[in-house]
Amino acid sequence: MTEDIHTRLNEFIKKKGLRSTPQRNAIVDTIFESKDHFTADELWERIRKTNSKASRATLYRTLSLLVEAGLLQEIDLGEDQKTYDPNFNNSPSHNHLICVDCGYVTEFEDNHLELLNDCLTRRMGFRPVRQSIRIEACCEMLRTKGSCPNLIKARVEGKRLPKKR
Amino acid sequence: MTEDIHTRLNEFIKKKGLRSTPQRNAIVDTIFESKDHFTADELWERIRKTNSKASRATLYRTLSLLVEAGLLQEIDLGEDQKTYDPNFNNSPSHNHLICVDCGYVTEFEDNHLELLNDCLTRRMGFRPVRQSIRIEACCEMLRTKGSCPNLIKARVEGKRLPKKR
DNA sequence: ATAATTGCAAAGCTTTTGCAGCGAG
DNA sequence: CTCGCTGCAAAAGCTTTGCAATTAT
């Protein structure tokens, strides 16, 4: 899993005449050891719990590098901070359903959706490059049963919930 | 056009026990006199060209108010700054095609797309609240003819073009 | 009169950057 | 030995906020 990422990163690094460093590798490992979306700050917390040490500056510089190398993608989850998504490498289509009750994000794919997007794009005189669907929705289980595992998990983890509107 | 907005805003203001002020009204007028998306800073420039005067603080406070009142929507155009969209009031569905060559944004609607989104959302156990599609695409006309009116317009207006990736 | 609103300047937050020293190739 | 990388602290952007004065109702 992470080996693949390292291989691809090393290719990029070599091509650009850059260098491999322990800090960079530690950050990359930390990012890709999970499939979760994260903000720079959340990543910083995860790094701090590691025995590897890297500065915030290096963290930001590495994030930019990974995005430039195409190994990481910035996504919009309606948060104030930039959010990064580490697993679009394995799934070309990248759509997110965001729960307005708890902020939980579900990634999904759908061939019909992609096809339709593709057609619409061409009809408007463009060639598709990247497409993402963002769906905000409320949890049916929470409405009918009064609770939802994702919400409970979010509370336990102390995540700040979406601001109501 | 703008009257409708003012009416709806006044309702909101009354309901909340707030007050109507010249600054607020000037900002609202400036926002809705155009259909363009804008950032806080772009709006600030537009305000400055007006003979009305309002501070940046009031501008930000008014933006929050309008979003809270549901008259303005924050959207994500892949920019660093928050972008606001003034015309989702007239079109319930809100999808954006962003040109990666010049940053030009096309708003579009499509019934099939909405229907499909709706089905997918329900299948995942949620009830749809809001959905937006973001398509990044490159301009076919620019590829085939070597130029594109939107790109020329963007250059003339001195807009900063999308960073290439 | 009363309480919301405004403008200013200061503070807050996230992210970027200049620079001297360090370290990979 | 070179030149990229790192950490630090300072700076940069954008946005928010405390406060005294102002103003709508």
Side-chain angles (χ1 to χ4, degrees), chain B residues 11-24:
Chain B
E11 270 175 38
F12 183 81
I13 279 181
K14 188 176 294 176
K15 198 174 59 188
K16 285 271 209 172
L18 308 179
R19 289 170 191 180
S20 165
T21 68
Q23 290 92 332
R24 212 119 87 175

Side-chain angles (χ1 to χ4, degrees), chain B:
Chain B
M1 179 90 290
T2 317
E3 291 86 56
D4 178 42
I5 298 288
H6 277 293
T7 308
R8 295 179 53 187
L9 181 58
N10 285 335
E11 270 175 38
F12 183 81
I13 279 181
K14 188 176 294 176
K15 198 174 59 188
K16 285 271 209 172
L18 308 179
R19 289 170 191 180
S20 165
T21 68
Q23 290 92 332
R24 212 119 87 175
N25 292 328
I27 293 170
V28 172
D29 287 340
T30 306
I31 290 175
F32 291 100
E33 84 192 359
S34 150
K35 284 185 162 305
D36 291 349
H37 305 122
F38 60 90
T39 61
D41 215 55
E42 286 162 358
L43 178 59
W44 175 243
E45 283 308 316
R46 284 166 59 192
I47 296 280
R48 276 166 40 107
K49 285 172 191 153
T50 310
N51 42 18
S52 58
K53 70 254 163 293
S55 68
R56 261 200 151 85
T58 300
L59 185 152
Y60 278 109
R61 286 188 273 233
T62 304
L63 284 176
S64 302
L65 187 72
L66 289 171
V67 170
E68 195 193 336
L71 296 170
L72 196 60
Q73 190 157 90
E74 282 179 23
I75 58 172
D76 173 56
L77 260 31
E79 301 290 320
D80 290 337
Q81 287 171 259
K82 279 182 194 165
T83 308
Y84 295 89
D85 185 332
N87 33 260
F88 80 110
N89 291 298
N90 316 308
S91 50
S93 156
H94 239 60
N95 308 314
H96 296 101
L97 184 151
I98 303 149
C99 178
V100 299
D101 296 316
C102 70
Y104 188 82
V105 177
T106 308
E107 292 194 358
F108 67 95
E109 293 183 47
D110 184 84
N111 290 333
H112 303 290
L113 204 46
E114 274 157 67
L115 180 60
L116 191 48
N117 267 347
D118 198 281
C119 294
L120 288 168
T121 305
R122 288 176 198 283
R123 196 168 66 179
M124 289 188 276
F126 291 84
R127 188 185 312 161
V129 169
R130 213 175 289 123
Q131 31 194 239
S132 59
I133 284 77
R134 186 170 109 211
I135 298 180
E136 290 174 69
C138 57
C139 180
E140 203 59 69
M141 189 188 286
L142 182 62
R143 306 292 133 160
T144 56
K145 308 211 170 153
S147 79
C148 151
N150 296 333
L151 181 55
I152 292 166
K153 181 160 172 279
R155 288 217 176 105
V156 169
E157 293 178 359
K159 295 208 172 153
R160 54 180 167 188
L161 300 177
K163 37 191 173 188
K164 279 280 163 280
R165 25 175 182 169

Side-chain angles (χ1 to χ4, degrees), chain A residues 60-91:
Chain A
Y60 279 109
R61 286 189 272 234
T62 303
L63 284 175
S64 303
L65 187 73
L66 289 171
V67 170
E68 195 193 336
L71 297 169
L72 196 59
Q73 191 158 92
E74 281 179 22
I75 58 171
D76 174 57
L77 260 30
E79 300 290 320
D80 291 336
Q81 287 171 261
K82 279 182 193 164
T83 308
Y84 296 89
D85 185 332
N87 33 263
F88 80 110
N89 293 297
N90 316 309
S91 50

